[in-house]
Amino acid sequence: MTDASNVFLAVIAISVLAMAVMQIGAVMLLARSMKRVMAITEDLQREIKPLAAKVNAIADEAQRAAALATKQVERVDVLMVDVTRRVHETSDAIHSLVTGPMRHGGALVSGLRAALTALLTTRTDRRFERDEEEDALFVG
């Protein structure tokens, strides 16, 4: 082999050696980075576990609160239906109490008016009224 070939072989060998050293360094750097990432991941997991438990507790409380609110709304709805029914029944009862005596009172007043009219008018007035009624019925 010639000197030029030996030089080229030496350059190739040195470059292969340099590349191997760089790859070993890259692998070591990657291993250190992986250790850091694993440590950070473990720290995050330790910190997130209590937060996740708190979030679950808050969600459970929110679910209970929503269930209680639903029950309260249903109770208020039942109460409003009952109150509305009772108000309607009460207004009907008051209406009956007021209009019933008014009807009887109106009938009583009409009866008194008829009695007073009958007592206060004379027979001639009544006969005159009867003649007018008969005249109104006459068709001729």
Side-chain angles (χ1 to χ4, degrees):
M1 288 216 246
T2 63
D3 286 334
S5 303
N6 288 335
V7 171
F8 285 125
L9 279 175
V11 169
I12 291 173
I14 291 172
S15 8
V16 168
L17 182 65
M19 286 174 48
V21 168
M22 287 172 34
Q23 285 179 351
I24 290 172
V27 167
M28 289 172 48
L29 184 63
L30 184 63
R32 263 194 246 156
S33 296
M34 287 302 294
K35 285 181 184 178
R36 286 184 190 161
V37 168
M38 291 301 291
I40 290 171
T41 304
E42 289 173 2
D43 288 342
L44 283 175
Q45 285 178 349
R46 271 184 264 143
E47 290 179 14
I48 288 176
K49 281 183 184 178
L51 290 176
K54 288 179 183 178
V55 167
N56 286 337
I58 290 171
D60 290 343
E61 287 297 321
Q63 185 179 8
R64 280 189 222 120
L68 287 174
T70 302
K71 286 181 184 177
Q72 291 297 332
V73 167
E74 288 173 357
R75 287 180 185 164
V76 167
D77 185 44
V78 168
L79 179 68
M80 290 305 294
V81 167
D82 189 44
V83 166
T84 303
R85 182 183 50 81
R86 288 184 182 191
V87 165
H88 186 68
E89 289 173 357
T90 303
S91 68
D92 287 346
I94 290 172
H95 181 71
S96 297
L97 287 174
V98 170
T99 57
M102 285 177 61
R103 286 183 192 144
H104 295 298
L108 182 65
V109 168
S110 295
L112 285 174
R113 183 183 302 156
L116 286 174
T117 303
L119 289 174
L120 294 177
T121 57
T122 60
R123 286 183 172 254
T124 57
D125 290 339
R126 278 188 257 155
R127 190 177 304 147
F128 180 71
E129 287 176 11
R130 204 176 313 134
D131 289 341
E132 284 181 0
E133 287 176 11
E134 290 176 5
D135 287 343
L137 295 175
F138 178 72
V139 178

